[in-house]
Amino acid sequence: MALNNVRLLTILFNSCFHFLRQAVASGYKMTAVVFSPSKNVMNVDEVQRKGYAIANTPTRLVLRSPHNAEETYLQNVAGVPMRVLSTSTFFEQKWLVTRVDATAVCPTPEAVAFTPEVITWYMPKHIDPLFSSDAFTMLEVYMGIDAKRLDTEEMAARNYSVLVTEAHIIVEIPVGAVGGYFKSHIQDDQYFVTYTIEPMLELLWIEEVAHENTSYKVLFPITTPPMARPPQVRNYTPLDTVPEQAVFVLELGTFNLDVELLNITFPTMVLTVAECNARGFNVQEQRSPDNTLKTFRMEVPFSDPVVFKERRAEQGVTTFTLQLIYGLVIFPEYAPFSHSAVVDAVLLDIGMPLVTGNCDQENFHITVDYRNQEPFFVVLVGKRLLNHEFAQQYLTEGDTDFTITLPFSSPDAVFESVHSSSVRSRLDVALLNPYNNMTIKYFSLACSFLKTLTECFSNGTMTALAVKVESAPGLNPGQLTLSDPACGPTYSDDRFAYFHFTVNSCGTTRKFINNVMLYENEISLPDELEVKLNATTSSEEEYQ
Ligand SMILES: *[C@@H]1O[C@H](CO)[C@@H](O)[C@H](O)[C@H]1NC(C)=O
Ligand SMILES: *[C@@H]1O[C@H](CO)[C@@H](O)[C@H](O)[C@H]1NC(C)=O
Ligand SMILES: *[C@@H]1O[C@H](CO)[C@@H](O)[C@H](O)[C@H]1NC(C)=O
Ligand SMILES: *[C@@H]1O[C@H](CO)[C@@H](O)[C@H](O)[C@H]1NC(C)=O
Ligand SMILES: *[C@@H]1O[C@H](CO)[C@@H](O)[C@H](O)[C@H]1NC(C)=O
Ligand SMILES: *[C@@H]1O[C@H](CO)[C@@H](O)[C@H](O)[C@H]1NC(C)=O
């Protein structure tokens, strides 16, 4: 923190160099300092006892002052409060006395505005106490970090900006930019971070009257106010499992890198991180991709005694509860803090239900064996929840199982593909935990059903059924036509199109093959739609 309170104050007037060189060369010694505006006179010893450092080289007078030293004062310069130290230093040689006036001006914390995203430092351009007149030209403005000047590319890469306006030089630094650092803090057991950076400004101006260059360099450590970063426990516990294999997966974060996890307090015991790992909790520190933040991840098996279990038999579920207090510290000052959390999970008491299935010529049969336990899950058939009406129509119950029987053409099934004499249809069934809708078990059954999709009648008419397949979800069966685009379906809905036509119409062609007459027609989308939907069904008809 020393950097925040002490500033190096150097004033380099060219004329002084010349004077100092001569003075020191001719044996002048620094004897006293007079501070303005108090007019307090101190000899060099007193000055040093008061906490100032003063020294000279042949070309420089260096005076170092605590930032808030008694002899400094506040002055408002172009609306920005600046701290000023104004001195006259006396040099003596025998009977001769001469003096060097020197003034230092530093920004104060009030010169900075903060938002959660950006630090803005306002520096007056005409730093009044350092000027003897109003007319001047700013020759150079450089920004740097940690006393090192940066070029334009480096500034852009770090998203720093310097804007020179009529009255100010405005430095903007994004909170978190390269060059600064975050530090963790605890206040009332709450977690905060601050961001600190030490920008530098180097100015060079020329005063028109004196025609003298003045260079000014200031290093200005800036720390943002504490920003609250309340940690959170994220729960990644997978629940599609049986209690014997279940684990709580928790992640605590997000922290700055100076935070360490020491121990975890459970209702029955305190375990160090090493003890947690010995117990199989696999505590891991995880870093963000840019390596600036960390979280702590761990896995606690439901079967561990630190997990509290409560069975609710009437509901057929068990609740698992993990209560914990993370014990953390901030380095290097070793400031302790804690974060407590309670997480729970509801698991069904059943073992994993067994789902099997088969098909006959018309139907799917899917059997769910819930193994002597209450079947405490909800069943999703296709996209539909199995409710009472659905159950009445399609469900038969056994002792420890039930069977769902659905026709292959049910809207809950999907057609995977269609061939001239068969249809491949699939039924998806999922068992869900009603407490969180997570999938306990997923089962899918696909079968080919032998189906005559086309028929011929002795009076010379034909029928054909086209079905929508899963791979053509955008298909509107009502838009299908026979070879003659004027022949649309006699009936259609969102899944089927039914055609009924005579063999001498609608573009039907005729072939003789070994005493058999073969009529062919094709069902497709009109050309302009076909490209988009890519679904065609062809039918071949045989008359004997
Ligand atoms: C600079 O700012 C841009 C836009 O705000 C941002 O996308 C980029 O990540 C920043 N670069 C750095 C180094 O912070
Ligand atoms: C002031 O500094 C500028 C830039 O460094 C230089 O070109 C110029 O000669 C200097 N003028 C005087 C009077 O020292
Ligand atoms: C647990 O860690 C905290 C740091 O937050 C520490 O203060 C405390 O003493 C530790 N407890 C035990 C029992 O080690
Ligand atoms: C599960 O999903 C159903 C239907 O989407 C919804 O009504 C119900 O609220 C959900 N239940 C939970 C616990 O999220
Ligand atoms: C031809 O026979 C079928 C089946 O018997 C019948 O549905 C259809 O209406 C008949 N068509 C004509 C034009 O008589
Ligand atoms: C059209 O469908 C066929 C058969 O499903 C498939 O192989 C082909 O990739 C599809 N073409 C386009 C452009 O989607």
Side-chain angles (χ1 to χ4, degrees), residues 230-237 248-255 294-298 326 339 341 343:
Q232 284 177 355
V233 173
R234 278 174 284 268
N235 189 344
Y236 297 112
T237 306
F248 281 109
V249 180
L250 304 178
E251 203 173 300
L252 171 71
T254 307
F255 297 111
K294 64 162 77 163
T295 59
F296 299 102
R297 186 187 160 95
M298 94 174 158
Y326 291 92
H339 184 81
V343 288

Side-chain angles (χ1 to χ4, degrees), residues 6-67:
V6 180
R7 302 234 189 288
L8 181 64
L9 309 177
T10 53
I11 298 300
L12 313 170
F13 290 103
N14 273 345
S15 56
C16 295
F17 299 170
H18 182 64
F19 162 77
L20 274 172
R21 200 176 293 124
Q22 282 191 342
V24 174
S26 5
Y28 277 80
K29 276 219 173 82
M30 194 159 49
T31 53
V33 179
V34 180
F35 292 94
S36 299
S38 66
K39 304 282 182 235
N40 281 342
V41 183
M42 298 182 208
N43 64 33
V44 172
D45 280 353
E46 280 174 310
V47 167
Q48 279 162 351
R49 271 203 307 278
K50 286 263 184 185
Y52 305 93
I54 188 163
N56 71 277
T57 69
T59 56
R60 274 167 199 231
L61 169 65
V62 180
L63 183 60
R64 198 188 274 264
S65 155
H67 189 229

Side-chain angles (χ1 to χ4, degrees), residues 138-275:
M138 188 62 74
L139 299 176
E140 293 174 3
V141 176
Y142 289 108
M143 186 193 160
I145 288 291
D146 299 328
K148 196 176 152 286
R149 195 187 276 186
L150 296 176
D151 63 30
T152 325
E153 288 79 46
E154 288 169 315
M155 300 260 299
R158 295 163 172 229
N159 280 351
Y160 303 154
S161 80
V162 177
L163 182 68
V164 182
T165 68
E166 193 63 35
H168 297 105
I169 294 160
I170 302 170
V171 175
E172 282 195 341
I173 300 170
V175 171
V178 179
Y181 62 90
F182 282 102
K183 170 88 195 78
S184 300
H185 304 272
I186 291 300
Q187 292 172 7
D188 303 328
D189 214 32
Q190 303 292 306
Y191 182 71
F192 293 88
V193 295
T194 55
Y195 172 76
T196 299
I197 190 160
E198 191 178 71
M200 169 184 79
L201 269 183
E202 284 184 287
L203 311 179
L204 178 73
W205 65 79
I206 185 159
E207 288 203 56
E208 278 158 25
V209 175
H211 201 68
E212 262 177 2
N213 276 1
T214 303
S215 72
Y216 176 88
K217 175 166 163 176
V218 58
L219 313 182
F220 186 34
I222 298 173
T223 297
T224 64
M227 298 173 278
R229 291 285 153 85
Q232 284 177 355
V233 173
R234 278 174 284 268
N235 189 344
Y236 297 112
T237 306
L239 293 176
D240 53 343
T241 173
V242 290
E244 302 78 56
Q245 287 155 19
V247 279
F248 281 109
V249 180
L250 304 178
E251 203 173 300
L252 171 71
T254 307
F255 297 111
N256 198 31
L257 297 187
D258 55 359
V259 170
E260 293 296 339
L261 176 62
L262 283 196
N263 57 46
I264 298 172
T265 305
F266 299 97
T268 48
M269 67 186 91
V270 184
L271 298 177
T272 62
V273 167
E275 287 163 344

Side-chain angles (χ1 to χ4, degrees), residues 457 459 461 500:
F457 300 103
N459 62 10
T461 64
H500 189 183

